[in-house]
Amino acid sequence: RLKVALEKTKAKYDMVSAINAVEGGGFESPELKLILAAQKREELQQEGDKLDETIQKKEKEIKTMKKTLTQLRERNTNFRSSFSRADMNGVKA
């Protein structure tokens, strides 16, 4: 989706550049500069929102993984302790 949006913006930029080149000037119109800046700002805002969403998902995944690792370590410790050597002099020996 981002590539499509970037291609559209590039196409608009190329078209405006071609029109201005034919007219003999560069980007002289302040209105055009304002429009291009607003488009760029909107694209960056959307990209930033997507990145924030991705970061939040990854942070949630990390939290879940840490919890799972803690549980696994606890179970391994309990399992390991169940194989401790028996006391041959004890009552249950």
Side-chain angles (χ1 to χ4, degrees):
R1 289 189 275 173
L2 183 60
K3 287 183 180 181
V4 173
L6 290 174
E7 289 174 7
K8 285 182 182 179
T9 303
K10 186 178 182 321
K12 288 178 188 177
Y13 174 81
D14 292 341
M15 185 176 70
V16 171
S17 296
I19 291 171
N20 282 335
V22 170
E23 294 175 356
F27 289 109
E28 297 174 5
S29 169
E31 293 83 11
L32 182 58
K33 288 182 182 180
L34 185 63
I35 290 170
L36 291 174
Q39 287 175 344
K40 184 67 174 174
R41 183 175 56 239
E42 180 62 29
E43 289 172 10
L44 291 173
Q45 181 66 44
Q46 289 175 358
E47 185 179 350
D49 291 345
K50 288 178 185 178
L51 289 173
D52 284 341
E53 183 179 326
T54 302
I55 288 170
Q56 289 176 358
K57 283 182 182 178
K58 296 300 178 186
E59 286 176 343
K60 187 175 180 180
E61 287 176 12
I62 289 170
K63 184 178 178 182
T64 304
M65 286 180 178
K66 284 182 178 180
K67 184 177 178 181
T68 303
L69 181 61
T70 301
Q71 291 173 350
L72 183 64
R73 285 182 174 162
E74 183 179 319
R75 288 181 183 178
N76 277 347
T77 301
N78 293 339
F79 184 70
R80 226 179 287 124
S81 67
S82 70
F83 286 106
S84 61
R85 294 184 182 242
D87 183 10
M88 297 308 282
N89 296 328
V91 176
K92 293 183 177 180

